[in-house]
Structures are given as C-alpha cells and as structure tokens.
C-alpha cells in the first residue's frame, strides 16, 4: 500500500492485517501493481515522474525508469513481461519494455522449468549457470534473449551467463519452490450444477494459482500452504473428472471428483411396519451411490448402499401410526417420497 504523503510503501500481511515491512524514500508514490509471480512490485513515483521495480523478497529497489508524466495507475500483463503505466500529466499510456531478468523466475526444486532470460549483449553466450549448477540446457535466441531450462537445486540462486570465453554476467535470479503435493479433496462428489465448496489439502499449496476440473480452471477463494478452497464449477455431463492443482512450481497433483445427478425414489418395500421401528426396507430409485442420509418421518434411519439404484434402511420408532415420508439425501441433491411407508 502506498502512502502518498509519507513517501513510502507498506507491505501488509493480509492474513494478520499487519505491516510486514516499509520501503521509504519514494517521492510521492501513487500506484502499485504486483507481478503475477508475486515477487516484484512496480510503483509509480509522482514526485519525480518515474516508475520503480521493487524486489519483494529482499525489499530492494532493483530498477527505476524515468521519463513519465505524473504517472498514476499501472498494470502488469499476465505473463509479467510488460507494464502499462497511465500518465496523468499528458493523458497517455506508456508500455515499459521488458526488464532484464528471468521469466518465470520461480520453479520446482526438481528443475525442468523453461526460463526466458532477457538482457543485453547475450548473443555470444557460451554457458548459463543457475548458481553453481549449469543449466539443464540453453539456446541463444538473439542478443537480448536466451531460452534455458533450470537444473535441480534447493535454494534461491543468481543466473549467470558466460559471454565469450571469460566474461561472466549476472542476468537474473531464480527462486526454487518446494514441490507441491495434493493429498485429498473433500467432498469427492457433488451436483452437476456445481456451486458447492471443495477443500483441497496437501503441502506446498501457498503458490497455487488455479484448480482444474478436467479442462475448466477455477480461481481459489482461499489459499493456505496446506489447504485451499474453491467453488466447484458446473459440468456438462455426469460422472468423474480429474482434479488438478497448478502452482507456481509447476507441480501437479491429481484426484477424481464425481458429478452426481439428482436422486429419485421409485418404490419402498415393504410398505408397512410397526411403530416400534426396526423394519428393514428396500428403497429403489436412481443416483444412490453417494447417499449421505435417509430419514423416515423426519427421523434419521440407519442405511446401507447396495448399488446406484438400491439402498436398505431400518425404520426408526414412530410416536403414532400413519404414513411417513421417506427422504434420501445424496451429494447430488434430495429426493422425497410422500407417504410410501405406513406405521401400523
């Protein structure tokens, strides 16, 4: 958050609502935008008509670009390669050129992340190293760009390029993230219409960017390192779909979520039984595999699932003779049969 009158920027922990750190000596900071990877903040400086790039990990200004006109709001493209800045002074929008560095600059400790390195004078590069390890592979595209693949490492490192035979140049940083692990989801099924809340549990989920139900991507509503919640999207068809979590470390975990149709009740037999309860009944219908509860005259009944069309239940005691509604609730919805069982 920028403090316009105090010439400073505050970094706030949104979980605890406290100021984590403060960056000072920013001449009238106005707008701020964070890169998609969450590692760089761009700040417009109305006081000297410039824009600064802040390394959020180390809380350091890494670059300042002059030549703006009362810069105010700004936005970063989804790939992090361009920054659009609004000039209030002359009613224009300026696009910042791609800053030198590595894109993306995060990946799993297992390596294998394709990295686009942007810089100057890279045409005669003969080697690329991530810290002390050589890149798994690299290709020189032109004098300003190299395509490299990260090696296996376990720490944050500088990326160095050897120009010619002897000149070593640091061209960026790369941040290694722990591999993400998905252990389970809850619930594992729900209605075709979606809309219910699903919880993903695992490890290393803090950088999760989306949850995919087959090919439908959903943005999480809450993200913690061991738990993520999302709203289940609707489905075109019933049945199981793979659920994939995608994090900044490019790791994937896969489980199955099943879309269930609305249940139906076609028969209950026998149709009569004692008010003392204890009568076994067979309930025939549709979409029974994910039954959660059975009630008879509003009282929970013990039940067991035989198949997707048949469940058994034991009638609970009743206070008086007469007809009783039978209600079956599944993860796909609720079915009510009015009075198919009569207490005698």
């Amino acid at each position: 958050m920028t403090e316009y009158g105090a010439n400073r920027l505050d970094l706030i922990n949104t979980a605890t609502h406290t100021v984590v750190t403060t960056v000072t000596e920013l001449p009238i900071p106005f707008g701020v935008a964070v890169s998609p990877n969450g590692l760089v903040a761009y700040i417009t400086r109305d006081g000297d008509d410039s824009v600064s790039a802040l390394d959020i990990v180390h809380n350091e200004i890494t670059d300042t670009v002059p030549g703006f006109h009362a810069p105010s709001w700004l936005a970063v493209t989804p790939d992090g390669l361009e920054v659009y800045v609004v000039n209030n002074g002359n009613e224009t929008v300026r696009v910042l050129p791609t800053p030198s560095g590595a894109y993306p600059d995060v990946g799993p400790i297992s390596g294998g992340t394709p990295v686009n390195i942007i810089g100057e004078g890279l045409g005669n590069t003969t080697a690329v190293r991530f810290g002390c390890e050589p890149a798994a592979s690299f290709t020189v595209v032109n004098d300003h760009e190299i395509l490299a693949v990260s090696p296996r490492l376990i720490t944050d490192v500088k990326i160095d390029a050897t120009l010619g035979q002897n000149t070593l140049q640091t061209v960026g940083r790369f941040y290694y993230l722990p591999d993400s692990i998905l252990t389970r989801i809850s619930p594992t099924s729900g209605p075709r219409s979606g809309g219910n809340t699903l919880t993903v549990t695992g490890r290393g989920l803090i950088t999760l960017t989306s949850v995919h139900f087959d090919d439908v991507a959903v943005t999480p509503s809450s993200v913690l390192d061991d738990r993520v919640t999302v709203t289940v999207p609707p489905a075109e068809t019933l049945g199981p779909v793979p659920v994939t979590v995608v994090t900044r470390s490019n790791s994937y975990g896969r489980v199955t979520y099943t879309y269930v149709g609305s249940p139906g009740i076609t028969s209950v037999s026998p149709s009569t039984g004692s008010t003392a309860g204890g009568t076994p009944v067979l309930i025939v219908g549709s979409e029974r595999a994910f039954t959660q509860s059975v009630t008879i005259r509003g009282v929970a009944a013990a039940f067991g699932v035989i198949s997707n069309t048949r469940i058994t239940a034991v009638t609970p005691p009743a206070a008086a003779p007469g007809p009783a509604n039978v209600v079956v609730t599944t993860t796909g919805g609720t079915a009510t049969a009015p009075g198919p069982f009569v207490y005698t």
Side-chain angles (χ1 to χ4, degrees):
M1 180 182 71
T2 56
E3 293 196 47
Y4 191 92
N7 293 333
R8 68 185 187 186
L9 175 77
D10 294 326
L11 274 67
I12 299 174
N13 185 320
T14 56
T16 62
H17 302 291
T18 57
V19 176
V20 177
T21 189
T22 297
V23 180
T24 59
E25 298 182 2
L26 294 172
I28 314 181
F30 189 87
V32 61
V34 179
S35 62
N37 60 20
L39 298 176
V40 179
Y42 296 93
I43 309 125
T44 53
R45 300 162 39 142
D46 192 31
D48 62 0
D49 291 332
S50 67
V51 174
S52 285
L54 170 71
D55 181 337
I56 296 177
V57 175
H58 301 93
N59 296 321
E60 298 175 351
I61 298 292
T62 58
D63 193 17
T64 297
V65 181
F68 293 87
H69 299 276
S72 54
W73 308 113
L74 67 173
V76 186
T77 56
D79 58 10
L81 295 180
E82 293 180 324
V83 181
Y84 289 76
V85 183
V86 174
N87 288 301
N88 268 346
N90 61 4
E91 298 181 344
T92 63
V93 174
R94 178 176 170 186
V95 182
L96 286 179
T98 303
S100 297
Y103 302 90
D105 55 5
V106 294
I109 59 177
S110 53
T113 302
V115 180
N116 191 309
I117 300 171
I118 304 298
E120 298 292 333
L122 304 178
N124 64 338
T125 296
T126 57
V128 175
R129 302 183 72 86
F130 287 65
C132 60
E133 293 292 325
S137 65
F138 75 94
T139 301
V140 177
V141 178
N142 52 47
D143 203 45
H144 305 283
E145 183 178 4
I146 298 173
L147 299 179
V149 176
S150 67
R152 178 180 177 85
L153 279 174
I154 57 172
T155 186
D156 301 341
V157 294
K158 296 188 299 181
I159 300 178
D160 295 324
T162 301
L163 310 181
Q165 297 301 315
N166 300 311
T167 304
L168 191 66
Q169 176 179 316
T170 297
V171 292
R173 292 194 67 87
F174 193 80
Y175 302 87
Y176 281 91
L177 299 174
D179 289 334
S180 301
I181 297 175
L182 186 157
T183 55
R184 65 187 296 265
I185 60 172
S186 179
T188 57
S189 63
R192 177 178 172 181
S193 59
N196 53 312
T197 299
L198 180 138
T199 300
V200 178
T201 55
R203 189 175 72 245
L205 302 177
I206 193 64
T207 63
L208 186 142
T209 56
S210 62
V211 177
H212 292 236
F213 291 75
D214 199 3
D215 58 355
V216 178
V218 179
T219 301
S221 55
S222 173
V223 178
L224 298 173
D225 191 62
D226 62 347
R227 185 170 64 258
V228 172
T229 58
V230 296
T231 300
V232 179
E236 294 185 2
T237 59
L238 299 176
V241 296
V243 176
T244 303
V245 296
V246 181
T247 69
R248 288 191 201 137
S249 65
N250 298 325
S251 296
Y252 299 86
R254 185 171 288 241
V255 292
T256 298
Y257 180 85
T258 303
Y259 284 98
V260 181
S262 299
I265 298 175
T266 56
S267 66
V268 176
S269 60
S271 59
T272 62
S274 169
T275 55
T279 302
V281 295
L282 177 67
I283 304 172
V284 178
S286 57
E287 300 294 344
R288 291 287 180 269
F290 295 91
T291 298
Q292 295 179 306
S293 67
V294 175
T295 64
I296 299 176
R297 196 182 273 183
V299 180
F303 72 92
V305 176
I306 299 174
S307 69
N308 196 40
T309 60
R310 295 152 59 92
I311 58 176
T312 59
V314 178
T315 61
N325 291 350
V326 175
V327 179
V328 176
T329 299
T330 74
T331 54
T334 299
T336 301
F341 184 85
V342 178
Y343 282 101
T344 58

